[in-house]
Amino acid sequence: MIDVLLQDSVTLARFVHVLGAVTAVGAVLVTDTVNAVPHFRPAFAATAAKVASLLSFLVWSGFALLAASGLYLLQIQSHLVRDPLFRAKMLLIVILFVNGIFLNIWVTPRFRALADTWAEDSAEKETFERIAGAAAAISLIGWATVLLFGVLITHG
Amino acid sequence: MNRIAAACMLLLVSVQPVIAHTGHGNASNTAATTASEPLVQDPWLAGSTIIGAVILVTSLYFIYRMIRTFRREQA
């Protein structure tokens, strides 16, 4: 089994690609679930804010694995770029990438700053929840669609 | 400065197959290229590769930044 993986570079690259997808999508699912909890249990906000950066680390690790293996697979299977589904997937990846930078640079630091006073109702918290919720929805729906497109490109 | 150089190197290495693929990285092909030929023969392949390379470099930068933050918090 391991010999097959090592001998066939395409199979190995595909495995790394799936590993990256699983890591990124799994981390996004956990992030969105953990970040939704403080809305119902304000006392959990401080814990969620601490875990957020660790989960963000996992998302970027998944992104790195996906990009490295994707670059390799793209050179071997360059005909894929003619597939409209592949083009749609690339467009979604760009959106997810920009959204990920926004989550990392704006949402996570602001969440950390607001976590201590999360129990108090404020306009700032309400605005934050709305923006962060939209970014989280884009992330969740986007990653699920990318995963679906990936499966359809391979097996469709 | 070293980090920027490393990121640029990684970006160049990632994009290199596209340069080779389009024929502009090969000396003999470059000589045969005429002015009427497009610079990039497959813009989708070139675009996808550049996007992948940018995502790879940015991801590694964020990973590096987070590891540095974790270390600082531990210290």
Side-chain angles (χ1 to χ4, degrees):
Chain A
M1 176 73 179
I2 291 169
D3 287 348
V4 173
L5 275 179
L6 291 175
Q7 277 167 11
D8 186 356
S9 60
V10 176
T11 310
L12 185 64
R14 277 185 185 154
F15 166 72
V16 175
H17 210 61
V18 172
L19 184 70
V22 169
T23 309
V25 176
V28 164
L29 271 173
V30 176
T31 306
D32 288 355
T33 312
V34 166
N35 290 348
V37 176
H39 184 76
F40 307 101
R41 281 189 188 179
F44 190 69
T47 312
K50 274 182 191 167
V51 177
S53 46
L54 187 67
L55 292 169
S56 184
F57 174 81
L58 280 175
V59 175
W60 286 111
S61 301
F63 242 135
L65 289 173
L66 279 170
S69 55
L71 277 168
Y72 180 71
L73 288 169
L74 193 62
Q75 305 317 316
I76 290 166
Q77 302 170 317
S78 55
H79 62 277
L80 279 177
V81 292
R82 285 180 221 118
D83 188 341
L85 263 180
F86 178 85
R87 293 178 179 184
K89 187 183 148 188
M90 281 311 290
L91 187 71
L92 266 175
I93 286 169
V94 172
I95 294 168
L96 286 172
F97 174 64
V98 174
N99 189 54
I101 292 175
F102 171 70
L103 281 164
N104 224 77
I105 287 175
W106 192 84
V107 176
T108 307
R110 191 144 298 201
F111 186 35
R112 278 188 155 190
L114 287 169
D116 295 331
T117 55
W118 196 262
E120 300 160 21
D121 282 327
S122 66
E124 196 186 357
K125 191 190 105 177
E126 210 171 290
T127 312
F128 170 79
E129 274 201 292
R130 230 175 269 160
I131 297 170
I138 290 170
S139 181
L140 196 64
I141 297 165
W143 276 109
T145 315
V146 163
L147 210 60
L148 176 71
F149 284 0
V151 172
L152 287 175
I153 290 165
T154 316
H155 304 287
Chain B
M1 197 64 192
N2 284 343
R3 281 175 224 149
I4 296 166
C8 290
M9 279 292 286
L10 193 63
L11 201 68
L12 275 173
V13 169
S14 310
V15 177
Q16 194 275 334
V18 159
I19 300 166
H21 184 84
T22 52
H24 293 277
N26 184 315
S28 58
N29 283 353
T30 311
T33 305
T34 60
S36 60
E37 274 184 65
L39 185 67
V40 176
Q41 286 168 6
D42 196 338
W44 273 97
L45 179 64
S48 302
T49 308
I50 290 164
I51 289 167
V54 169
I55 290 174
L56 180 61
V57 172
T58 314
S59 307
L60 292 175
Y61 167 70
F62 276 117
I63 290 167
Y64 162 76
R65 217 175 72 154
M66 280 169 201
I67 290 172
R68 201 180 55 180
T69 311
F70 292 149
R71 277 188 181 167
R72 269 188 199 162
E73 282 173 1
Q74 262 189 334

